[in-house]
Amino acid sequence: MNFDEFKKQLMQDAEFKKAYDDLEPEYEIIRAMIDGRSELNLSQQELAQRTGINQAHISRLESGNYNPSLKFLKRVAAGLGKEVHISFK
């Protein structure tokens, strides 16, 4: 069984699906940050230098172990040449 098949099987469980869906906004932030760094070929250390944020904090966010403030996200976005946009759906 590959990962996609396994995930599809797990998503049939309502409790698992709710927990997975509840984490989606956090993963969107992480993906956007990693994708932004990749587009610019930046290491975490290089992004840290651009933003004045400690590299360890960037690493913690990318690993999902940090709950960033809006101010933090705006600094990261600026370092990537981007803006933060928030929406409620």
Side-chain angles (χ1 to χ4, degrees):
M1 174 182 300
N2 67 31
F3 176 76
D4 290 333
E5 292 168 344
F6 181 66
K7 180 180 169 188
K8 184 177 179 180
Q9 182 180 352
L10 288 173
M11 293 297 269
Q12 293 174 1
D13 179 311
E15 188 175 328
F16 176 87
K17 184 173 181 350
K18 181 180 179 342
Y20 182 90
D21 291 344
D22 286 348
L23 290 172
E24 186 59 26
E26 285 88 346
Y27 288 123
E28 282 184 42
I29 292 168
I30 293 167
R31 272 193 306 272
M33 188 169 161
I34 292 171
D35 290 348
R37 277 197 318 102
S38 293
E39 288 171 11
L40 297 173
N41 294 316
L42 292 176
S43 67
Q44 290 179 348
Q45 185 60 44
E46 290 167 326
L47 181 58
Q49 290 170 348
R50 282 183 173 209
T51 61
I53 295 171
N54 187 300
Q55 182 270 331
H57 290 112
I58 291 171
S59 176
R60 285 179 36 215
L61 175 60
E62 288 186 2
S63 67
N65 294 316
Y66 183 65
N67 190 10
S69 67
L70 182 55
K71 182 178 178 179
F72 179 95
L73 294 175
K74 289 168 74 175
R75 286 174 65 188
V76 169
L80 297 170
K82 300 188 180 287
E83 299 174 345
V84 173
H85 294 265
I86 299 172
S87 64
F88 293 91
K89 297 178 184 180

